[in-house]
Amino acid sequence: MGGQEQEFVNLAFDTNWIAPLGPNVNGFENDISQYANVGHSAALSSGTAAIHLALIILGVRRGDDVLVSTFTFSGSVNPILYMDALPVMVESEPTTWNIDPQALREAIEDRKRLTGKVPKALILVHLYGMPAMLDELLAICKEYGIMVIEDAAEAMGSSYDGKKLGSFGDFGIFSFNGNKIITTSGGGALVSNNKKWIEKSRFLATQARDKAVHYQHSELGYNYRMSNIVAGIGRGQMLVLDQWVEKRRQVNQFYRELLKLYEGIEFLTEPNDKYYSNHWLTAITLDPKQHASEDLRLHLLKDNIEARPLWKPMHLQPIFAKYPYYGNGWSEEMFAKGLCLPSGSNMTEENYDRIQRAIESFFS
Ligand SMILES: *Cc1c(COP(=O)(O)O)cnc(C)c1O
């Protein structure tokens, strides 16, 4: 927490505004729209809910193909199955670790050949805060008429070509889950420049209640709205978001300095100055001929320092294994040799020292 969250939560209590909606929800939505420079936003219960509503509003139907990165968290893919649609998983490229434009084109062409149709939408993930190759990917989607949902759950505060991530797609989504760069304990947002779509998402997220004095419903609704209490935390977090991005970038710099002494280590790195990552998590790979990433993880754990494997690719997950996948298995290799290092926005000098000592002792 940054310090001012409690004030916004108290505001809700002081005005007895504990109902789901209220001034904190409106305030938080305005903050998000302004920050990401998008026209409209809806505060929701999670990032996963935001993707689900985006798919509904874009008119995805049972059996439709929806493209998505394989190298991501399951929250990117689950909503495709909520729609009874078909996840088409696409491999990443080694520069940004995000969806590979060439593999994307192959997937689209192959699906077109097999089904006679072009996939309906792409869920475009920016992994660990790193912007995907947006110029190339958006051009392909435009060429085929594919709608884009930008999954910026891990990338709030990152930008590409000076423009905040989340603002490039037909929709963007953010997550405020406990592990994300800012958090409301749990929550998410859907953003778009299309006012009608965001209004529709608020309608669907509050049980699709028709305009009537009584409770009347003609469409399937969901209970996906963020509450006024939780949104108070969000307003406070928005005040520190840029600071948190700065801190995460410092953490990344710390590891670069520390690890440059050792061979076989590579970082997820901004390829040029068009790319600006929030470095939500600092992610590295170790050359397996020199060190096993699992050995480093276990060595750190002995000191009660938690590092984690990279996301296990979706096409390797039992639940998604039966769906189409396009790629050369690159992310499987990454999963075998990669690690996310401790990257909190609240790392102290003592934390840095302890991590440094543990890493040095591993390599010696
Ligand atoms: C966290 C995350 C989500 C889901 O967000 P929740 O708020 O946890 O539902 C989706 N996609 C990615 C890439 C994520 O990291």
Side-chain angles (χ1 to χ4, degrees), residues 65 111 184 209 227 251:
D65 285 349
R111 294 307 295 172
T184 56
R209 204 181 145 192
S227 88
V251 169

Side-chain angles (χ1 to χ4, degrees), residues 133 192 199 221 262:
M133 292 184 169
S192 176
E199 280 169 355
Y262 310 108

